[in-house]
Amino acid sequence: MTTYAVTGASGQLGHLIVEHLLSRGAAASDIVAIARTTDKVANLAERGVTVLHGDYDAPDTLDSALEGVDRLVLVSASEPGKRLPQHQAVIAAAEKAGVNRIVYTSLLKASDTSNPLAPEHVATEEALAASSIPATVLRNSWYLENYTGQIPGYLAQGAITTATANARLSAATRSDYAEAAAVALLQDAEGATYELGGDTFTMTNLAEAITTAANTDVRHHLVSVDELVGAMVQGAGMDEDTARFWASVDASIAKGELETDSTDLADLIGHEPTSMQDAVRAAL
């Protein structure tokens, strides 16, 4: 019997990974959902999944949650700037518990990108390489939900404003990436690094898809990085450092750093990832 565990199971991605483990044939009794807020995964407990409290910021909870676990998905923490020590705490607890493989959700082209989210992922990959536990690294590109979740705002403004230079990017749904993580955990892929990305499109393509699906005109308004920073500070009330951080993600997209022609995602999950157009239609 192999015991599978998923950290961050109360988050959107972690919860979906557990769902895909179940749909891929893992027995509920062999799955441990580790969550900071266990109430959020009560539905998994009702299906027979073991639900345990585990907090990235409380190492003692991780020690007990990982006891008896064979394979672990380390879902990257959600707050930039705090991720590395949180991930190191999980890795240390996994070593103590005798976990024999970790699957980690990283960032596309993490070691070769200007994306401001990358350094913590690279450092985590290095921490995994230095640990005693074989690791599988899933370098996820952007979530389609990063855009479909903003459709009400796009429709209200009649525009998507970016500093992406209308460059192409590759994106997939959380469910697609979660399915890949479940498959990687169930399969033997020690030491592998996968570059995962789905449908490739531009922001103009996205605006056109929303226009068609909603029958409401939405245009892509292209601006400079500095102009985007100003818009986020003045229009959204962000402080300048936060605005510049997120605007630099658009600058990374403009360099093509979130585009990939890798078929790793489709190869892992055994089908084509969700298209951008389908994700837009589903969000409306």
Side-chain angles (χ1 to χ4, degrees):
M1 183 187 77
T2 300
T3 299
Y4 306 100
V6 180
T7 66
S10 54
Q12 293 174 310
L13 182 63
H15 196 288
L16 284 167
I17 293 170
V18 176
E19 294 280 2
H20 280 293
L21 284 170
L22 291 167
S23 68
R24 286 278 179 164
S29 58
D30 293 339
I31 301 172
V32 179
I34 301 172
R36 183 171 59 183
T37 309
T38 55
D39 289 349
K40 291 184 178 180
V41 288
N43 63 325
L44 296 176
E46 290 169 0
R47 296 170 65 181
V49 173
T50 299
V51 172
L52 296 176
H53 175 64
D55 188 333
Y56 290 151
D57 292 318
D60 289 347
T61 67
L62 298 172
D63 289 342
S64 56
L66 291 174
E67 186 175 348
V69 168
D70 298 302
R71 297 185 179 189
L72 171 69
V73 178
L74 168 51
V75 175
S76 57
S78 59
E79 192 172 353
K82 296 183 178 181
R83 287 171 163 163
L84 181 56
Q86 292 173 330
H87 297 166
Q88 289 172 323
V90 176
I91 295 167
E95 287 189 301
K96 288 180 188 177
V99 171
N100 55 45
R101 187 151 70 85
I102 293 177
V103 174
Y104 174 62
T105 61
S106 187
L107 178 70
L108 184 71
K109 302 178 183 178
S111 55
D112 188 28
T113 179
S114 62
N115 191 310
L117 296 168
E120 287 177 298
H121 287 296
V122 171
T124 300
E125 291 184 17
E126 291 172 346
L128 286 166
S131 78
S132 61
I133 305 174
T136 302
V137 176
L138 304 179
R139 289 179 164 180
N140 296 343
S141 187
W142 233 216
Y143 296 148
L144 282 167
E145 289 89 345
N146 291 344
Y147 299 117
T148 58
Q150 299 185 68
I151 286 178
Y154 298 153
L155 291 171
Q157 297 162 17
I160 303 171
T161 301
T162 81
T164 62
N166 207 35
R168 290 155 56 89
L169 72 151
S170 306
T173 62
R174 281 191 183 89
S175 183
D176 290 329
Y177 293 126
E179 186 175 6
V183 171
L185 192 68
L186 293 168
Q187 293 181 347
D188 294 322
E190 293 181 5
T193 296
Y194 296 95
E195 300 284 352
L196 304 183
D199 200 6
T200 298
F201 55 91
T202 68
M203 290 297 98
T204 295
N205 296 147
L206 176 64
E208 291 168 348
I210 295 170
T211 295
T212 299
N215 197 28
T216 301
D217 190 41
V218 174
R219 299 184 179 277
H220 178 210
H221 182 211
L222 188 60
V223 298
S224 69
V225 168
D226 287 341
E227 288 170 329
L228 184 60
V229 170
M232 288 191 285
V233 170
Q234 296 166 18
M238 282 189 191
D239 65 85
E240 185 166 351
D241 287 344
T242 301
R244 196 159 291 281
F245 180 92
W246 290 112
S248 66
V249 172
D250 272 22
S252 172
I253 293 172
K255 296 176 183 177
E257 294 172 348
L258 280 178
E259 180 187 7
T260 180
D261 59 5
S262 168
T263 63
D264 284 351
L265 180 55
D267 293 343
L268 271 174
I269 63 180
H271 59 84
E272 288 301 313
T274 306
S275 71
M276 178 268 288
Q277 290 86 352
D278 283 347
V280 166
R281 285 190 288 267
L284 289 169

